[in-house]
């Protein structure tokens, strides 16, 4: 079983409009709702790849009820902890004329001390059954910035590999707890290390405590600095569409490859193909299996001569 943690779950709403124009009224041509938040997106992709997956985190209020109702028929197990506050919504507005997406993210509900304590009790029990753990996304109000560092240490104490995908101070503290893998994007990496050059920044991030670092570089794919070497993976061509969930699909690819014992080049090819297939999908966090397989067959992974 793979456990994914989403402390700040969301109801992802995707609106499609013919053309997005500032200061104008728009007629929405299509609406889609999905259970979301980074770890929920990761779980959905893992389930599509055939992995037994459990989602935990928080859900509350009417929006949380909708999220759980949408999650119920999906092949993932719901271990979300109820909270008194209302789960946030994220709104993606897709401009059909350009393929560009505008994203609006609400902050999420405040989590009380007793709700956090209930989550930790459930988390510790789930980790003991897990083959791997993914800690994903932002922290909701009320959760201390060292929360992910604590969760990393708890997973490591149970000898369970742990992947961390967050940003800012939670990433800075979490990486010091020595997760097996962190997956920042280029901006998150620059804020963490102060370096803009991708290889230098990724190597610096690894020196801060992570066993391996895989950086998302947008259209340029993924850059991985690992104990076994340095690789760059890229899709066969640049893709344009809705990027919501693309990084989460990459995490799912990396995590599934870790659990399956795949070598790094195969993990990275899977991750970059899943990410590209998700960008091309019409709804946030979805991907088409046929598109993914076609992209996987044409994605490239190149090893750097520079040692890790």
């Amino acid at each position: 079983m793979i456990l994914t943690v989403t402390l700040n779950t969301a109801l992802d709403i995707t609106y499609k409009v013919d053309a997005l124009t500032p200061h104008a009224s728009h007629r929405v041509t299509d609406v889609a709702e999905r259970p979301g938040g980074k770890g929920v997106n990761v779980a959905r992709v893992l389930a599509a790849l055939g992995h037994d997956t459990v989602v935990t985190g928080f859900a509350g209020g009417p929006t949380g009820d909708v999220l759980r109702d949408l999650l119920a028929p999906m092949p993932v197990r719901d271990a979300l902890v109820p909270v008194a506050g209302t789960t946030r919504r994220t709104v993606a507005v897709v401009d059909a004329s350009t393929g560009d997406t505008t994203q609006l993210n609400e902050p999420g509900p405040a989590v009380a001390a007793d709700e956090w304590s209930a989550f930790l009790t459930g988390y510790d029990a789930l980790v003991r059954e897990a083959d791997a753990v993914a800690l994903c996304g932002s922290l909701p109000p009320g959760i201390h910035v060292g929360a992910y560092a604590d969760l990393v240490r708890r997973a490591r104490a149970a000898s369970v590999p742990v992947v961390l995908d967050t940003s800012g101070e939670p990433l800075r503290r979490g990486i010091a707890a020595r997760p097996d893998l962190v997956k920042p994007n280029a901006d998150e990496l620059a804020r963490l290390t102060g370096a803009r050059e991708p290889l230098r920044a990724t190597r610096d991030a690894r020196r801060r405590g992570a066993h391996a670092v895989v950086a998302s570089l947008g259209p340029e794919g993924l850059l991985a600095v690992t104990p076994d070497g340095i690789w760059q993976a890229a899709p066969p061509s640049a893709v344009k569409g809705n990027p919501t969930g693309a990084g989460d699909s990459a995490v799912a690819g990396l995590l599934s490859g870790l659990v399956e014992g795949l070598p790094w080049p195969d993990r990275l090819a899977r991750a970059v193909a899943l990410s590209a297939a998700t960008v091309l999908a019409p709804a946030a966090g979805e991907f088409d299996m046929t598109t993914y397989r076609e992209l996987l067959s044409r994605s490239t992974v190149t090893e750097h001569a520079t040692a890790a």
Side-chain angles (χ1 to χ4, degrees):
M1 178 266 282
I2 299 176
L3 176 65
T4 73
V5 175
T6 312
L7 298 178
N8 209 4
T9 57
L11 179 63
D12 286 340
I13 303 168
T14 303
Y15 292 145
K16 182 175 285 187
V17 298
D18 291 333
L20 183 62
T21 306
H23 315 299
S25 178
H26 297 79
R27 185 175 298 278
V28 176
T29 60
D30 188 60
V31 181
E33 287 186 337
R34 296 290 186 277
K38 294 179 73 64
V40 174
N41 293 337
V42 171
R44 291 209 316 270
V45 176
L46 287 169
L49 295 173
H51 288 275
D52 178 24
T53 310
V54 175
V55 295
T56 190
F58 299 105
T63 310
D65 291 341
V66 173
L67 184 153
R68 299 185 85 162
D69 287 345
L70 292 170
L71 198 60
M74 295 183 178
V76 298
R77 287 187 279 158
D78 177 356
L80 295 169
V81 176
V83 291
T86 298
T87 296
R88 66 190 178 126
R89 296 162 297 180
T90 65
V91 178
V93 182
V94 180
D95 184 328
S97 66
T98 64
D100 292 333
T101 301
T102 299
Q103 190 79 18
L104 305 171
N105 297 329
E106 295 180 357
V111 176
D114 61 327
E115 294 166 340
W116 176 242
S117 179
F119 166 81
L120 289 177
T121 299
Y123 175 80
D124 288 341
L126 289 166
V127 164
R128 289 194 291 269
E129 303 173 13
D131 298 311
V133 176
L135 308 174
C136 305
S138 61
L139 298 178
I143 301 297
H144 63 96
V145 293
Y148 280 136
D150 183 20
L151 299 183
V152 169
R153 285 190 288 266
R154 287 168 182 257
R156 287 181 56 82
S159 300
V160 177
V162 57
V163 175
L164 177 62
D165 183 16
T166 188
S167 61
E169 190 62 20
L171 173 60
R172 188 180 305 278
R173 298 197 186 194
I175 201 171
R178 306 188 65 81
D180 293 85
L181 172 67
V182 295
K183 195 215 68 63
N185 62 34
D187 288 339
E188 292 162 353
L189 193 61
R191 287 196 294 270
L192 175 69
T193 66
R196 280 284 174 185
E197 196 284 312
L199 180 56
R200 177 182 175 185
T202 307
R203 295 179 73 173
D204 186 352
R206 183 168 177 255
R207 284 193 291 268
R208 292 168 184 258
H211 189 66
V213 178
V214 177
S216 295
L217 303 180
E220 297 177 21
L222 301 172
L223 176 64
V225 176
T226 82
D228 301 323
I230 300 174
W231 288 273
Q232 183 137 9
S237 59
V239 294
K240 199 162 192 177
N242 185 353
T244 305
D248 307 326
S249 291
V251 171
L254 295 167
L255 193 56
S256 62
L258 183 157
V259 170
E260 294 170 29
L262 298 182
W264 273 105
D266 292 346
R267 298 186 207 181
L268 293 164
R270 177 182 290 184
V272 80
L274 282 169
S275 181
T278 302
V279 172
L280 292 171
E286 301 291 324
F287 77 96
D288 175 73
M289 186 63 74
T290 300
T291 301
Y292 155 62
R293 288 172 177 158
E294 193 273 333
L295 289 165
L296 179 63
S297 69
R298 297 192 297 119
S299 296
T300 59
V301 181
T302 306
E303 186 169 10
H304 281 249
T306 307

